PDB file of all heavy atoms in Angstrom:
ATOM      1  N   ILE A  34      97.096 107.364  79.723  1.00  0.00           N
ATOM      2  CA  ILE A  34      96.633 108.197  80.837  1.00  0.00           C
ATOM      3  C   ILE A  34      96.183 109.546  80.288  1.00  0.00           C
ATOM      4  O   ILE A  34      96.393 109.839  79.117  1.00  0.00           O
ATOM      5  CB  ILE A  34      97.741 108.420  81.886  1.00  0.00           C
ATOM      6  CG1 ILE A  34      98.915 109.171  81.259  1.00  0.00           C
ATOM      7  CG2 ILE A  34      98.193 107.081  82.466  1.00  0.00           C
ATOM      8  CD1 ILE A  34     100.037 109.488  82.221  1.00  0.00           C
ATOM      9  N   SER A  35      95.576 110.362  81.148  1.00  0.00           N
ATOM     10  CA  SER A  35      95.101 111.664  80.693  1.00  0.00           C
ATOM     11  C   SER A  35      96.273 112.642  80.583  1.00  0.00           C
ATOM     12  O   SER A  35      97.297 112.477  81.244  1.00  0.00           O
ATOM     13  CB  SER A  35      94.070 112.211  81.671  1.00  0.00           C
ATOM     14  OG  SER A  35      94.696 112.692  82.830  1.00  0.00           O
ATOM     15  N   LYS A  37      96.328 115.598  81.666  1.00  0.00           N
ATOM     16  CA  LYS A  37      96.459 116.291  82.938  1.00  0.00           C
ATOM     17  C   LYS A  37      97.337 115.494  83.912  1.00  0.00           C
ATOM     18  O   LYS A  37      98.166 116.054  84.621  1.00  0.00           O
ATOM     19  CB  LYS A  37      95.071 116.510  83.552  1.00  0.00           C
ATOM     20  CG  LYS A  37      95.079 117.365  84.802  1.00  0.00           C
ATOM     21  CD  LYS A  37      94.908 116.492  86.040  1.00  0.00           C
ATOM     22  CE  LYS A  37      94.748 117.362  87.268  1.00  0.00           C
ATOM     23  NZ  LYS A  37      94.622 116.574  88.493  1.00  0.00           N
ATOM     24  N   THR A  38      97.169 114.192  83.941  1.00  0.00           N
ATOM     25  CA  THR A  38      97.955 113.350  84.840  1.00  0.00           C
ATOM     26  C   THR A  38      99.437 113.409  84.477  1.00  0.00           C
ATOM     27  O   THR A  38     100.297 113.565  85.354  1.00  0.00           O
ATOM     28  CB  THR A  38      97.449 111.894  84.773  1.00  0.00           C
ATOM     29  OG1 THR A  38      96.103 111.845  85.260  1.00  0.00           O
ATOM     30  CG2 THR A  38      98.313 110.982  85.624  1.00  0.00           C
ATOM     31  N   ALA A  47     102.671 115.718  90.972  1.00  0.00           N
ATOM     32  CA  ALA A  47     102.281 114.356  91.352  1.00  0.00           C
ATOM     33  C   ALA A  47     103.510 113.467  91.274  1.00  0.00           C
ATOM     34  O   ALA A  47     104.449 113.738  90.523  1.00  0.00           O
ATOM     35  CB  ALA A  47     101.180 113.825  90.436  1.00  0.00           C
ATOM     36  N   GLY A  48     103.495 112.413  92.041  1.00  0.00           N
ATOM     37  CA  GLY A  48     104.603 111.464  92.033  1.00  0.00           C
ATOM     38  C   GLY A  48     104.357 110.354  91.031  1.00  0.00           C
ATOM     39  O   GLY A  48     103.335 110.343  90.351  1.00  0.00           O
ATOM     40  N   SER A  50     103.524 106.649  90.584  1.00  0.00           N
ATOM     41  CA  SER A  50     102.972 105.505  91.311  1.00  0.00           C
ATOM     42  C   SER A  50     103.588 104.216  90.772  1.00  0.00           C
ATOM     43  O   SER A  50     104.187 104.212  89.685  1.00  0.00           O
ATOM     44  CB  SER A  50     101.458 105.473  91.134  1.00  0.00           C
ATOM     45  OG  SER A  50     101.145 105.209  89.780  1.00  0.00           O
ATOM     46  N   MET A  53     102.291 103.573  87.411  1.00  0.00           N
ATOM     47  CA  MET A  53     102.853 104.510  86.436  1.00  0.00           C
ATOM     48  C   MET A  53     104.269 104.101  86.059  1.00  0.00           C
ATOM     49  O   MET A  53     104.684 104.265  84.898  1.00  0.00           O
ATOM     50  CB  MET A  53     102.845 105.934  86.994  1.00  0.00           C
ATOM     51  CG  MET A  53     103.097 107.013  85.963  1.00  0.00           C
ATOM     52  SD  MET A  53     101.844 107.091  84.665  1.00  0.00           S
ATOM     53  CE  MET A  53     100.408 107.588  85.616  1.00  0.00           C
TER      54      MET A  53
ATOM     55  P    DC C  16     100.120 114.878  99.903  1.00  0.00           P
ATOM     56  OP1  DC C  16     101.581 114.777 100.137  1.00  0.00           O
ATOM     57  OP2  DC C  16      99.506 116.188  99.571  1.00  0.00           O
ATOM     58  O5'  DC C  16      99.729 113.864  98.736  1.00  0.00           O
ATOM     59  C5'  DC C  16      99.884 112.468  98.967  1.00  0.00           C
ATOM     60  C4'  DC C  16      99.186 111.684  97.877  1.00  0.00           C
ATOM     61  O4'  DC C  16      97.770 111.587  98.160  1.00  0.00           O
ATOM     62  C3'  DC C  16      99.292 112.322  96.475  1.00  0.00           C
ATOM     63  O3'  DC C  16      99.596 111.298  95.551  1.00  0.00           O
ATOM     64  C2'  DC C  16      97.900 112.875  96.243  1.00  0.00           C
ATOM     65  C1'  DC C  16      97.062 111.811  96.955  1.00  0.00           C
ATOM     66  N1   DC C  16      95.673 112.213  97.256  1.00  0.00           N
ATOM     67  C2   DC C  16      94.648 111.274  97.078  1.00  0.00           C
ATOM     68  O2   DC C  16      94.948 110.140  96.705  1.00  0.00           O
ATOM     69  N3   DC C  16      93.379 111.628  97.329  1.00  0.00           N
ATOM     70  C4   DC C  16      93.101 112.878  97.742  1.00  0.00           C
ATOM     71  N4   DC C  16      91.825 113.192  97.973  1.00  0.00           N
ATOM     72  C5   DC C  16      94.132 113.850  97.939  1.00  0.00           C
ATOM     73  C6   DC C  16      95.405 113.472  97.684  1.00  0.00           C
ATOM     74  P    DA C  17     100.437 111.689  94.233  1.00  0.00           P
ATOM     75  OP1  DA C  17     101.858 111.374  94.463  1.00  0.00           O
ATOM     76  OP2  DA C  17     100.037 113.053  93.803  1.00  0.00           O
ATOM     77  O5'  DA C  17      99.871 110.643  93.180  1.00  0.00           O
ATOM     78  C5'  DA C  17      99.744 109.287  93.572  1.00  0.00           C
ATOM     79  C4'  DA C  17      98.643 108.625  92.766  1.00  0.00           C
ATOM     80  O4'  DA C  17      97.362 109.004  93.306  1.00  0.00           O
ATOM     81  C3'  DA C  17      98.626 109.008  91.289  1.00  0.00           C
ATOM     82  O3'  DA C  17      98.418 107.840  90.504  1.00  0.00           O
ATOM     83  C2'  DA C  17      97.443 109.966  91.169  1.00  0.00           C
ATOM     84  C1'  DA C  17      96.509 109.477  92.268  1.00  0.00           C
ATOM     85  N9   DA C  17      95.672 110.537  92.848  1.00  0.00           N
ATOM     86  C8   DA C  17      96.092 111.732  93.362  1.00  0.00           C
ATOM     87  N7   DA C  17      95.109 112.475  93.812  1.00  0.00           N
ATOM     88  C5   DA C  17      93.973 111.725  93.572  1.00  0.00           C
ATOM     89  C6   DA C  17      92.598 111.964  93.822  1.00  0.00           C
ATOM     90  N6   DA C  17      92.132 113.080  94.385  1.00  0.00           N
ATOM     91  N1   DA C  17      91.719 111.008  93.465  1.00  0.00           N
ATOM     92  C2   DA C  17      92.195 109.880  92.902  1.00  0.00           C
ATOM     93  N3   DA C  17      93.453 109.543  92.619  1.00  0.00           N
ATOM     94  C4   DA C  17      94.300 110.523  92.986  1.00  0.00           C
ATOM     95  P    DG C  18      98.722 107.896  88.979  1.00  0.00           P
ATOM     96  OP1  DG C  18      99.066 106.520  88.538  1.00  0.00           O
ATOM     97  OP2  DG C  18      99.660 108.997  88.709  1.00  0.00           O
ATOM     98  O5'  DG C  18      97.310 108.269  88.347  1.00  0.00           O
ATOM     99  C5'  DG C  18      96.243 107.345  88.441  1.00  0.00           C
ATOM    100  C4'  DG C  18      94.935 108.026  88.085  1.00  0.00           C
ATOM    101  O4'  DG C  18      94.583 108.949  89.126  1.00  0.00           O
ATOM    102  C3'  DG C  18      94.990 108.878  86.820  1.00  0.00           C
ATOM    103  O3'  DG C  18      94.458 108.126  85.722  1.00  0.00           O
ATOM    104  C2'  DG C  18      94.101 110.084  87.135  1.00  0.00           C
ATOM    105  C1'  DG C  18      93.628 109.833  88.563  1.00  0.00           C
ATOM    106  N9   DG C  18      93.576 111.049  89.370  1.00  0.00           N
ATOM    107  C8   DG C  18      94.630 111.835  89.773  1.00  0.00           C
ATOM    108  N7   DG C  18      94.256 112.872  90.468  1.00  0.00           N
ATOM    109  C5   DG C  18      92.877 112.771  90.530  1.00  0.00           C
ATOM    110  C6   DG C  18      91.926 113.613  91.139  1.00  0.00           C
ATOM    111  O6   DG C  18      92.107 114.653  91.770  1.00  0.00           O
ATOM    112  N1   DG C  18      90.637 113.122  90.947  1.00  0.00           N
ATOM    113  C2   DG C  18      90.303 111.991  90.270  1.00  0.00           C
ATOM    114  N2   DG C  18      89.017 111.677  90.181  1.00  0.00           N
ATOM    115  N3   DG C  18      91.184 111.187  89.695  1.00  0.00           N
ATOM    116  C4   DG C  18      92.444 111.647  89.855  1.00  0.00           C
ATOM    117  P    DG C  19      94.347 108.813  84.291  1.00  0.00           P
ATOM    118  OP1  DG C  19      94.473 107.725  83.319  1.00  0.00           O
ATOM    119  OP2  DG C  19      95.278 109.962  84.252  1.00  0.00           O
ATOM    120  O5'  DG C  19      92.857 109.389  84.246  1.00  0.00           O
ATOM    121  C5'  DG C  19      91.772 108.493  84.446  1.00  0.00           C
ATOM    122  C4'  DG C  19      90.482 109.270  84.571  1.00  0.00           C
ATOM    123  O4'  DG C  19      90.512 110.002  85.824  1.00  0.00           O
ATOM    124  C3'  DG C  19      90.283 110.326  83.486  1.00  0.00           C
ATOM    125  O3'  DG C  19      89.393 109.838  82.478  1.00  0.00           O
ATOM    126  C2'  DG C  19      89.649 111.512  84.213  1.00  0.00           C
ATOM    127  C1'  DG C  19      89.756 111.195  85.680  1.00  0.00           C
ATOM    128  N9   DG C  19      90.466 112.257  86.407  1.00  0.00           N
ATOM    129  C8   DG C  19      91.809 112.415  86.563  1.00  0.00           C
ATOM    130  N7   DG C  19      92.140 113.472  87.256  1.00  0.00           N
ATOM    131  C5   DG C  19      90.929 114.053  87.571  1.00  0.00           C
ATOM    132  C6   DG C  19      90.643 115.225  88.309  1.00  0.00           C
ATOM    133  O6   DG C  19      91.431 116.014  88.844  1.00  0.00           O
ATOM    134  N1   DG C  19      89.273 115.454  88.391  1.00  0.00           N
ATOM    135  C2   DG C  19      88.301 114.652  87.835  1.00  0.00           C
ATOM    136  N2   DG C  19      87.048 115.029  88.004  1.00  0.00           N
ATOM    137  N3   DG C  19      88.556 113.550  87.150  1.00  0.00           N
ATOM    138  C4   DG C  19      89.882 113.310  87.058  1.00  0.00           C
ATOM    139  P    DT C  20      89.201 110.690  81.172  1.00  0.00           P
ATOM    140  OP1  DT C  20      88.519 109.806  80.183  1.00  0.00           O
ATOM    141  OP2  DT C  20      90.476 111.343  80.815  1.00  0.00           O
ATOM    142  O5'  DT C  20      88.195 111.850  81.622  1.00  0.00           O
ATOM    143  C5'  DT C  20      86.880 111.514  82.092  1.00  0.00           C
ATOM    144  C4'  DT C  20      86.073 112.781  82.352  1.00  0.00           C
ATOM    145  O4'  DT C  20      86.675 113.507  83.453  1.00  0.00           O
ATOM    146  C3'  DT C  20      86.023 113.736  81.153  1.00  0.00           C
ATOM    147  O3'  DT C  20      84.669 114.018  80.823  1.00  0.00           O
ATOM    148  C2'  DT C  20      86.766 114.996  81.617  1.00  0.00           C
ATOM    149  C1'  DT C  20      86.740 114.888  83.135  1.00  0.00           C
ATOM    150  N1   DT C  20      87.980 115.417  83.777  1.00  0.00           N
ATOM    151  C2   DT C  20      87.888 116.504  84.624  1.00  0.00           C
ATOM    152  O2   DT C  20      86.841 117.065  84.878  1.00  0.00           O
ATOM    153  N3   DT C  20      89.084 116.913  85.155  1.00  0.00           N
ATOM    154  C4   DT C  20      90.336 116.363  84.926  1.00  0.00           C
ATOM    155  O4   DT C  20      91.340 116.825  85.466  1.00  0.00           O
ATOM    156  C5   DT C  20      90.349 115.240  84.027  1.00  0.00           C
ATOM    157  C7   DT C  20      91.644 114.572  83.710  1.00  0.00           C
ATOM    158  C6   DT C  20      89.191 114.820  83.497  1.00  0.00           C
ATOM    159  P    DT C  21      84.346 114.766  79.484  1.00  0.00           P
ATOM    160  OP1  DT C  21      82.955 114.376  79.136  1.00  0.00           O
ATOM    161  OP2  DT C  21      85.440 114.554  78.512  1.00  0.00           O
ATOM    162  O5'  DT C  21      84.346 116.302  79.918  1.00  0.00           O
ATOM    163  C5'  DT C  21      83.590 116.715  81.063  1.00  0.00           C
ATOM    164  C4'  DT C  21      83.866 118.160  81.394  1.00  0.00           C
ATOM    165  O4'  DT C  21      85.130 118.264  82.097  1.00  0.00           O
ATOM    166  C3'  DT C  21      83.963 119.092  80.180  1.00  0.00           C
ATOM    167  O3'  DT C  21      83.013 120.142  80.316  1.00  0.00           O
ATOM    168  C2'  DT C  21      85.393 119.618  80.217  1.00  0.00           C
ATOM    169  C1'  DT C  21      85.758 119.463  81.691  1.00  0.00           C
ATOM    170  N1   DT C  21      87.206 119.302  81.974  1.00  0.00           N
ATOM    171  C2   DT C  21      87.796 120.070  82.955  1.00  0.00           C
ATOM    172  O2   DT C  21      87.181 120.879  83.605  1.00  0.00           O
ATOM    173  N3   DT C  21      89.130 119.848  83.132  1.00  0.00           N
ATOM    174  C4   DT C  21      89.933 118.955  82.442  1.00  0.00           C
ATOM    175  O4   DT C  21      91.121 118.853  82.699  1.00  0.00           O
ATOM    176  C5   DT C  21      89.255 118.185  81.441  1.00  0.00           C
ATOM    177  C7   DT C  21      90.024 117.188  80.638  1.00  0.00           C
ATOM    178  C6   DT C  21      87.936 118.387  81.245  1.00  0.00           C
ATOM    179  P    DA C  22      82.824 121.212  79.147  1.00  0.00           P
ATOM    180  OP1  DA C  22      81.406 121.646  79.198  1.00  0.00           O
ATOM    181  OP2  DA C  22      83.413 120.720  77.888  1.00  0.00           O
ATOM    182  O5'  DA C  22      83.730 122.425  79.682  1.00  0.00           O
ATOM    183  C5'  DA C  22      83.619 122.809  81.046  1.00  0.00           C
ATOM    184  C4'  DA C  22      84.578 123.951  81.332  1.00  0.00           C
ATOM    185  O4'  DA C  22      85.895 123.419  81.635  1.00  0.00           O
ATOM    186  C3'  DA C  22      84.759 124.921  80.166  1.00  0.00           C
ATOM    187  O3'  DA C  22      84.674 126.251  80.665  1.00  0.00           O
ATOM    188  C2'  DA C  22      86.165 124.624  79.659  1.00  0.00           C
ATOM    189  C1'  DA C  22      86.869 124.127  80.906  1.00  0.00           C
ATOM    190  N9   DA C  22      87.984 123.216  80.635  1.00  0.00           N
ATOM    191  C8   DA C  22      87.999 122.166  79.760  1.00  0.00           C
ATOM    192  N7   DA C  22      89.141 121.519  79.722  1.00  0.00           N
ATOM    193  C5   DA C  22      89.935 122.183  80.648  1.00  0.00           C
ATOM    194  C6   DA C  22      91.255 121.991  81.074  1.00  0.00           C
ATOM    195  N6   DA C  22      92.043 121.026  80.606  1.00  0.00           N
ATOM    196  N1   DA C  22      91.741 122.839  82.007  1.00  0.00           N
ATOM    197  C2   DA C  22      90.949 123.807  82.464  1.00  0.00           C
ATOM    198  N3   DA C  22      89.685 124.088  82.133  1.00  0.00           N
ATOM    199  C4   DA C  22      89.233 123.231  81.219  1.00  0.00           C
ATOM    200  P    DC C  23      84.547 127.483  79.607  1.00  0.00           P
ATOM    201  OP1  DC C  23      83.391 128.276  80.056  1.00  0.00           O
ATOM    202  OP2  DC C  23      84.613 126.946  78.226  1.00  0.00           O
ATOM    203  O5'  DC C  23      85.866 128.329  79.881  1.00  0.00           O
ATOM    204  C5'  DC C  23      86.265 128.556  81.230  1.00  0.00           C
ATOM    205  C4'  DC C  23      87.734 128.937  81.285  1.00  0.00           C
ATOM    206  O4'  DC C  23      88.545 127.761  81.112  1.00  0.00           O
ATOM    207  C3'  DC C  23      88.149 129.913  80.183  1.00  0.00           C
ATOM    208  O3'  DC C  23      88.614 131.109  80.766  1.00  0.00           O
ATOM    209  C2'  DC C  23      89.247 129.182  79.413  1.00  0.00           C
ATOM    210  C1'  DC C  23      89.700 128.130  80.403  1.00  0.00           C
ATOM    211  N1   DC C  23      90.256 126.899  79.780  1.00  0.00           N
ATOM    212  C2   DC C  23      91.557 126.473  80.122  1.00  0.00           C
ATOM    213  O2   DC C  23      92.210 127.125  80.935  1.00  0.00           O
ATOM    214  N3   DC C  23      92.050 125.355  79.552  1.00  0.00           N
ATOM    215  C4   DC C  23      91.316 124.657  78.674  1.00  0.00           C
ATOM    216  N4   DC C  23      91.828 123.564  78.147  1.00  0.00           N
ATOM    217  C5   DC C  23      89.998 125.075  78.314  1.00  0.00           C
ATOM    218  C6   DC C  23      89.507 126.189  78.878  1.00  0.00           C
TER     219       DC C  23
END
Side-chain angles (χ1 to χ4, degrees):
Chain A
I34 62 178
S35 76
K37 187 256 187 182
T38 296
S50 66
M53 194 62 66

